[in-house]
């Protein structure tokens, strides 16, 4: 059995250890008779809300503190041209035993399996490739990616930590002996992988590329569903179920989490008697356990929130793991002009995916990948282009978004003007036709969002061997383990099973796992509470040390 399969099996096993790392360590805590554990969850994203549901169903007293004025974290929707659009995830990754897909089916959400046909591709000069050329480029890219997964799985231990996915692409393309022009074109197509990870293929680690593997194996290995009706109904259901099992406090930013020593010294069995959590308003409350579900990007800049400081092992794990920056721009038109009857060389326009390779006809030569939302099933279809981007293009677009008030004519005009060289190449475009001019636009801005961790989700980048060895899989396991001895736990897409890292499903599973581990600590995993007399955390009157009122930190969303 592969390492990744063993990891997933371990996650789903009911007999796994408390540590989450395969260690037999078992921790038990007891409370005064009749009292339920009090658990604080920082962040009302998917991980935090699923954790609250599982704990609340067993009678645990759960409070969620969320910095935003809404639930969902990076799962968020707004209306564009009368249609809902997702700021965050668009996809359900994997179709087998996926709780998010099960939930989508239960509520009647509309999903779409993406066409197997190759995307339509415009080359650097703006000419659309023939169907055969597009199939060749796309086929070579996905074939090499399959090879990279297998190579990384089998040889991770010996692959240098500074070897990138780009290096592997170049090596494999050279082996194929293709004409130089074809090789360069395929390499440009391969760069679109950056829109899957929120970072460039120059930075994608080959050594840890196996961590990018998808949930399903075999014939379902790359079956991902586009959520045509958006995640809104799913988020509404998760939120409703969460409010039924927990107290949810919105607009409550956490600035300090301090593990309290019990009076009379440390109890080796129970650890600190409680954890003090302080919000930006200076309110202080004590809890038996705290689950931190803030994004990895937030943790990188806010470790000072934890008092005393996190262990060197946790600090190393947080710093070693990387955080991607994927952004999206939606452009809505009066009608999907590109769908009108097409004759000539552009008749092979893909019904769903389109790529513009690094264009010579624009100032910055930034490639763009596009999904035609006009191809979604009814009633979800809309005359909208969904553009994915990372790197300098993403930075430029977030800059545009920061410079203009959303939905104003100036905002729409800025994005319409910038992307015109791209969409002007689509079939039936006519500059004088109002149907070919965007009427609305929306750009995400996760890069400048503190509570999103200034980015989108975790990824796995190359590192400098001169700075010492890096073991990213061990770093993930360290974060999964958390610090249960000081009543502190971590959940989120960055602590998910390896096959679900960076996904909504992974966030769900991670919250569920931590909840089960906490229940086991209190002997409640089978629905029966252990009520032996023991330490009672009680309310905390003060936090010793630290500047509570003046500390500007923040946490409040899970993946």
């Amino acid at each position: 059995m592969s390492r990744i399969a063993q990891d997933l099996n371990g996650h789903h096993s009911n007999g796994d250890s408390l540590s989450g790392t395969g260690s037999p360590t078992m921790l038990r805590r007891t409370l005064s008779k009749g009292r339920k554990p009090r658990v604080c969850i920082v962040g009302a994203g998917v991980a935090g809300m699923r954790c609250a549901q599982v704990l609340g169903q067993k009678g645990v007293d759960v409070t969620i503190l969320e910095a935003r004025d809404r639930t969902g974290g990076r799962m968020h929707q707004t209306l564009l041209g009368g249609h809902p659009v997702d700021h965050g995830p668009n996809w359900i990754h994997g179709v087998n035993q996926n709780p998010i897909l099960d939930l989508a089916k239960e509520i009647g959400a509309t999903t779409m399996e993406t066409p197997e046909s190759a995307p339509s591709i415009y080359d650097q000069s703006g000419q659309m490739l023939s169907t055969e050329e597009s199939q060749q480029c796309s086929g070579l890219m996905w074939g090499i990616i399959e090879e990279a997964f297998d190579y990384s799985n089998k040889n991770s231990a010996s692959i240098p930590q500074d070897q990138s996915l780009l290096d592997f692409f170049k090596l494999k393309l050279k082996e194929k002996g293709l004409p130089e022009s074809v090789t360069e074109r395929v390499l440009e197509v391969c760069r679109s992988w950056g829109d899957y990870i929120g970072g460039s293929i120059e930075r994608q680690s080959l050594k840890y590329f196996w961590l990018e593997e998808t949930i399903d194996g075999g014939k379902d290995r790359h079956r991902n569903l586009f959520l045509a009706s958006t995640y809104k109904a799913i988020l509404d259901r998760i939120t409703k179920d969460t409010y039924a099992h927990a107290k949810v406090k919105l607009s409550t930013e956490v600035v300090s989490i301090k593990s309290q020593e019990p009076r009379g010294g440390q109890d080796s069995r129970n650890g600190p008697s409680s954890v003090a959590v302080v919000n930006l308003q200076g309110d202080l409350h004590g809890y038996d356990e705290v689950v931190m579900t803030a994004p990895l990007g937030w943790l990188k800049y806010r470790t000072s929130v934890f008092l005393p400081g996190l262990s060197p092992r946790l600090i190393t794990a947080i710093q070693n793991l990387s955080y991607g920056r994927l952004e999206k721009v939606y452009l809505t038109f009066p009608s999907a002009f590109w769908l009108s009857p097409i004759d000539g060389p552009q008749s092979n326009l893909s019904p769903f995916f389109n790529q513009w390779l690094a264009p010579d006809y624009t100032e910055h030569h930034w490639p763009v990948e596009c999904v035609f939302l006009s191809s979604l099933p009814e009633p979800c279809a809309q005359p909208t282009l969904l553009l994915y981007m990372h790197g300098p293009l993403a930075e430029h677009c977030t800059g545009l978004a920061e410079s203009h008030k959303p939905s104003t004519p100036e905002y729409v005009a800025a994005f319409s003007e910038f992307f015109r060289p791209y969409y002007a190449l689509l079939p039936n475009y006519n500059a004088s036709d109002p149907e070919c001019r965007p009427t609305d636009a929306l750009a995400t801005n996760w890069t400048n969002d503190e509570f999103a961790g200034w980015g989108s989700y975790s990824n796995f980048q190359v590192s400098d061997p001169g700075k010492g060895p890096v073991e990213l899989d061990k770093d993930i396991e360290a974060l999964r383990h958390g610090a249960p001895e000081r009543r502190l736990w971590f959940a989120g897409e960055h602590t998910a099973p390896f096959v679900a890292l960076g996904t909504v499903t992974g966030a769900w599973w991670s919250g569920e796992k931590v909840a089960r581990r906490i229940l086991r600590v209190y002997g409640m995993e089978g629905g029966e509470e252990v009520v032996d007399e023991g330490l009672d955390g009680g309310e905390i009157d003060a936090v010793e040390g630290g500047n509570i009122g003046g500390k500007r930190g923040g946490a409040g969303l899970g993946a």
Side-chain angles (χ1 to χ4, degrees), residues 141-151 209 213 221-222:
M141 169 187 161
W142 286 106
I144 294 173
I145 284 176
E146 290 284 353
E147 290 185 70
F149 277 136
D150 293 337
Y151 182 78
F209 191 54
E213 183 60 281
R221 190 171 187 178
H222 295 299

Side-chain angles (χ1 to χ4, degrees), residues 408-428:
T408 61
E410 293 78 14
Y411 181 96
V412 176
F415 286 101
S416 175
E417 182 66 26
F418 180 79
F419 285 105
R420 182 176 292 115
Y422 299 89
Y423 66 74
L425 297 176
L426 293 176
N428 307 311

Side-chain angles (χ1 to χ4, degrees), residues 156-201:
S156 180
S158 60
I159 298 173
Q161 63 191 49
D162 60 349
Q163 190 169 355
S164 71
L165 181 61
L166 176 62
D167 296 331
F168 192 80
F169 275 132
K170 288 181 175 179
L171 174 64
K172 290 300 173 181
L173 288 172
K174 183 178 181 180
E175 289 177 357
K176 296 182 185 300
L178 301 170
E180 184 177 353
S181 60
V182 176
T183 297
E184 288 301 314
R185 179 187 294 162
V186 174
L187 197 57
E188 286 303 313
V189 172
C190 291
R191 292 184 183 279
S192 66
W193 180 258
D195 291 331
Y196 290 81
I197 60 173
S200 70
I201 59 175

Side-chain angles (χ1 to χ4, degrees), residues 497-519:
F498 294 147
V499 290
L501 292 163
T503 70
V504 177
T505 302
W508 176 279
W509 277 340
S510 74
E512 189 173 76
K513 182 71 170 184
V514 165
R516 294 205 312 261
R517 292 172 64 200
I518 291 173
L519 291 172

Side-chain angles (χ1 to χ4, degrees), residues 13-61:
S13 170
N14 289 326
D16 55 349
S17 68
L18 173 69
S19 71
T21 62
S23 166
T25 302
M26 186 59 69
L27 184 66
R28 290 289 188 183
R29 282 195 266 272
T30 57
L31 299 170
S32 58
K33 187 173 183 178
R35 187 168 82 76
K36 301 288 186 179
R38 290 192 297 267
V39 176
C40 173
I41 298 173
V42 182
V46 171
M49 288 196 286
R50 181 54 181 162
C51 187
Q53 291 171 12
V54 174
L55 291 172
Q57 288 165 4
K58 295 292 187 178
V60 175
D61 182 356

Side-chain angles (χ1 to χ4, degrees), residues 300-332:
K300 285 179 173 291
Y301 293 95
R302 294 289 185 262
T303 54
S304 59
V305 163
F306 302 99
L307 301 171
L310 297 177
S311 69
R313 182 66 190 94
L314 285 173
I315 293 292
T316 297
I318 290 168
Q319 297 307 324
N320 282 348
L321 295 170
S322 303
Y323 200 57
R325 291 182 173 87
L326 177 70
E327 301 289 356
K328 300 186 288 189
V329 171
Y330 292 88
L331 293 177
T332 292

